[in-house]
Amino acid sequence: MRHIMLTVLICCSFEIVAQERETILDGEMEISYFGGLTLKFTNIRGDITGLIGGQGGVLINDAIYLGGAIGSTVTEIGGGYSSYRYGGLLLGSFVKPNEAIHYFADVGLYSGIMSSGGSRFSSAITEKFSIIEPNIGVGVNLNEKMKSTLGLSYKLVSAIDNNDISKKDVGGFSLNGSIIFGF
């Protein structure tokens, strides 16, 4: 009985090996580039804050992207702080990117900094921290070279170097929008 089972398993394994495997990088790999503007609305120190920035990088087969992103506040953030900036790596993927309306998911690995302007009577305060920001959303192909995205992300903050701010002061949900140009 063992010999029969072993023979059946070996025959089945040849059938599995004989099938062609499909992968996302099959055939010719198409590499292009992208860049665009981003706008985020997030909660920093209890106030809704607007951030404007940019992103860019390499796009593989119109589906997988690897690049970078930067951003800075365009509104007051309160609590004695005058600016918030971030920058770092961006890794993500589009699901069915050639359809007019499609989905995406990405994660940003950023370094962030908040600073106060200081005055004649007080010195400037600088807070540094790390951010991991997963983002999901929907994209719309506007034409062959341009798309618009709308997403929701959550900032996970760590490695804050000062006790004046906490993770919840900087972390939390963000509403993100972007216009991306492909080259």
Side-chain angles (χ1 to χ4, degrees):
M1 185 67 173
R2 279 193 244 173
H3 294 291
I4 293 172
M5 291 298 287
L6 185 59
T7 305
V8 170
L9 286 174
I10 290 174
C11 290
C12 289
S13 68
F14 285 124
E15 184 66 31
I16 292 172
V17 172
Q19 295 175 352
E20 281 193 38
R21 184 177 304 215
E22 238 182 81
T23 66
I24 60 173
L25 299 177
D26 274 345
E28 303 258 341
M29 187 182 308
E30 181 182 323
I31 295 184
S32 57
Y33 305 96
F34 72 94
L37 301 173
T38 60
L39 179 62
K40 294 183 178 188
F41 293 99
T42 189
N43 184 2
I44 298 177
R45 296 199 48 102
D47 294 328
I48 300 295
T49 303
L51 299 160
I52 191 163
Q55 61 184 8
V58 176
L59 184 62
I60 302 169
N61 289 347
D62 290 330
I64 299 171
Y65 53 95
L66 175 64
I70 59 171
S72 181
T73 52
V74 293
T75 60
E76 290 293 322
I77 57 177
Y81 291 92
S82 58
S83 74
Y84 168 89
R85 296 181 308 274
Y86 69 92
L89 296 173
L90 183 65
L91 174 65
S93 178
F94 291 108
V95 178
K96 299 183 180 182
N98 295 324
E99 292 185 7
I101 298 174
H102 52 278
Y103 303 100
F104 72 92
D106 61 35
V107 64
L109 305 171
Y110 306 130
S111 175
I113 187 169
M114 279 178 42
S115 60
S116 67
S119 68
R120 258 178 26 171
F121 304 107
S122 66
S123 62
I125 300 170
T126 301
E127 311 286 350
K128 296 178 182 177
F129 43 88
S130 299
I131 305 167
I132 298 174
E133 187 172 12
N135 183 24
I136 59 170
V138 63
V140 176
N141 290 332
L142 301 173
N143 63 28
E144 288 290 320
K145 298 288 183 187
M146 186 169 57
K147 77 172 58 193
S148 175
T149 66
L150 181 64
L152 183 66
S153 64
Y154 188 83
K155 292 188 306 293
L156 302 163
V157 178
S158 65
I160 295 176
D161 73 344
N162 197 321
N163 293 330
D164 292 341
I165 62 170
S166 68
K167 293 177 184 179
K168 70 177 186 172
D169 287 337
V170 182
F173 286 100
S174 296
L175 182 62
N176 310 311
S178 66
I179 298 288
I180 301 170
F181 302 93
F183 306 104

